[in-house]
Amino acid sequence: MICAILVAAGRGTRMGPNVDKLFLELNGRPVVAHTWGRFEEADCIDELVLVVREGMQEAFREMAAKHGFRKRSCW
């Protein structure tokens, strides 16, 4: 089994106080969803570990559901 780690715990503070760069939209999807999607598409990766900030787990669960990410993931 191959497991990938996606570190998505940054805040993007240099972009301003109320901007979370991980969730900025790029072509209709949050920036982090583009990276997550690549891991999702990779046949060689069986499982994904997402490293997220405390309290952000639900936002990532919602993102997985919205974008159809189905690979086993944990955070």
Side-chain angles (χ1 to χ4, degrees):
M1 175 187 293
I2 298 194
C3 182
I5 301 171
L6 174 56
V7 179
R11 291 186 186 266
T13 55
R14 291 177 289 187
M15 295 186 71
N18 296 318
V19 177
D20 191 333
K21 67 182 176 184
L22 294 173
F23 291 92
L24 288 176
E25 294 264 327
L26 177 67
N27 292 331
R29 294 171 73 184
V31 170
V32 70
H34 288 274
T35 303
W36 191 347
R38 292 296 185 185
F39 284 119
E40 185 75 19
E41 294 167 0
D43 292 333
C44 61
I45 296 174
D46 302 305
E47 183 178 49
L48 184 60
V49 174
L50 289 99
V51 179
V52 302
R53 284 192 316 271
E54 184 64 39
M56 295 299 293
Q57 294 88 347
E58 187 58 31
F60 280 87
R61 283 187 194 96
E62 290 172 8
M63 187 183 307
K66 180 178 180 179
H67 296 286
F69 299 147
R70 306 234 183 274
K71 262 186 196 169
R72 182 175 168 187
S73 301
C74 59
W75 27 76

